[in-house]
Amino acid sequence: MAEMRHPMDFWKALLCGEAFIYACYLVFGLYVYSFQGQYAFNPVTQSLSPYWWQTATNVLGLATGLVAAGLYGNIGMKVLYVELLQGVFGAPPLTEAAGKMLWAAAVPAYWALAFVVGAAVPQFSLVSGFIGALFILSFTYTLPALLGLGFWVRRDAMVPEEEGFDPATGRYAYVDGGFRRYWRGFLRRPVFNTWNFVYMLGGLVTTALGMYSSIEGLVEAFDGKSRATSFGCASPV
């Protein structure tokens, strides 16, 4: 509500939060990698020494993981219910009593299935890392910059005095097209568009590096020499 009354407060909070997150990631990542390099574990907190540091980070990871799982699981379950159960199989809406009862029964089944998948797949963190690099990085960094760049270039390339939308035919009359049109739109906001382009490239690079790291880890984990186990907490070595 505060951001709706004062929209600039949103940007202040966003920039402060992003700066803090970037600083934490860079400092932690560079510090750990400077000592362990390619021998850092995934997750990297498992390579800390002494052992009680690992225990402390595991406790923090468990707490934050439960919070994240609750939030993401709630969203995922609602999407699954609305799009699949209600949209495809005709389940009652959540506003009705029958829908609430079905929801109460579906939630434990959803979490049970998630537990089975997470416990059955050895090195599941590598699988989640691959998915995170492929989708979360792309949807968080790469695609927003790409969509913003495309939107502003197409919008600024318009020439309102010479072109417009014809409601009778449902078509937009362009005065030109191709590279010349997009270059004209790009030059309307050169600094902003260049920033979006560089930001998009940075997102692509981090996505590629994350996917490469996860794929290499998966190949090594499932090459037949790994002793990773399923449905247990025993150390594989």
Side-chain angles (χ1 to χ4, degrees):
M1 296 298 293
E3 286 78 6
M4 294 178 68
R5 296 190 185 96
H6 306 284
M8 285 304 299
D9 289 348
F10 165 76
W11 292 106
K12 295 176 184 177
L14 175 65
L15 293 176
C16 291
E18 287 291 333
F20 177 76
I21 293 172
Y22 271 110
C24 289
Y25 270 89
L26 286 175
V27 171
F28 186 82
L30 293 175
Y31 180 81
V32 173
Y33 197 80
S34 65
F35 282 98
Q36 299 183 337
Q38 70 271 29
Y39 301 104
F41 292 163
N42 182 21
V44 73
T45 54
Q46 299 303 311
S47 58
L48 295 177
S49 181
Y51 179 73
W52 67 268
W53 285 11
Q54 295 185 31
T55 304
T57 56
N58 286 339
V59 172
L60 294 176
L62 178 62
T64 56
L66 288 175
V67 174
L71 295 175
Y72 283 117
N74 182 54
I75 297 173
M77 186 58 208
K78 285 184 178 179
V79 172
L80 180 66
Y81 186 92
V82 173
E83 299 296 335
L84 181 62
L85 297 182
Q86 186 176 341
V88 177
F89 296 103
L94 292 173
T95 54
E96 298 180 1
K100 294 178 181 178
M101 295 179 62
L102 181 59
W103 168 268
V107 169
Y110 176 86
W111 283 108
L113 178 62
F115 173 79
V116 170
V117 173
V121 179
Q123 303 290 351
F124 187 73
S125 63
L126 294 174
V127 179
S128 62
F130 174 78
I131 296 174
L134 180 60
F135 294 106
I136 297 179
L137 270 173
S138 299
F139 281 96
T140 304
Y141 299 104
T142 308
L143 289 180
L146 176 62
L147 294 175
L149 176 65
F151 170 78
W152 288 110
V153 168
R154 288 176 62 88
R155 178 181 175 180
D156 293 336
M158 295 179 179
V159 185
E161 299 82 7
E162 303 179 24
E163 60 185 33
F165 177 74
D166 187 358
T169 60
R171 295 183 178 181
Y172 187 89
Y174 297 94
V175 296
D176 58 0
F179 177 79
R180 179 182 178 183
R181 179 179 182 85
Y182 295 130
W183 183 245
R184 180 178 68 248
F186 184 89
L187 293 180
R188 294 286 181 87
R189 306 169 189 263
V191 177
F192 181 70
N193 291 327
T194 301
W195 167 259
N196 275 332
F197 182 72
V198 173
Y199 197 87
M200 179 194 67
L201 292 180
L204 288 174
V205 170
T206 53
T207 298
L209 291 175
M211 292 176 59
Y212 174 79
S213 175
S214 298
I215 291 173
E216 287 291 324
L218 287 170
V219 171
E220 183 178 355
F222 295 101
D223 61 356
K225 301 178 182 179
S226 175
R227 297 183 180 180
T229 57
S230 302
F231 295 103
C233 299
S235 175
V237 294

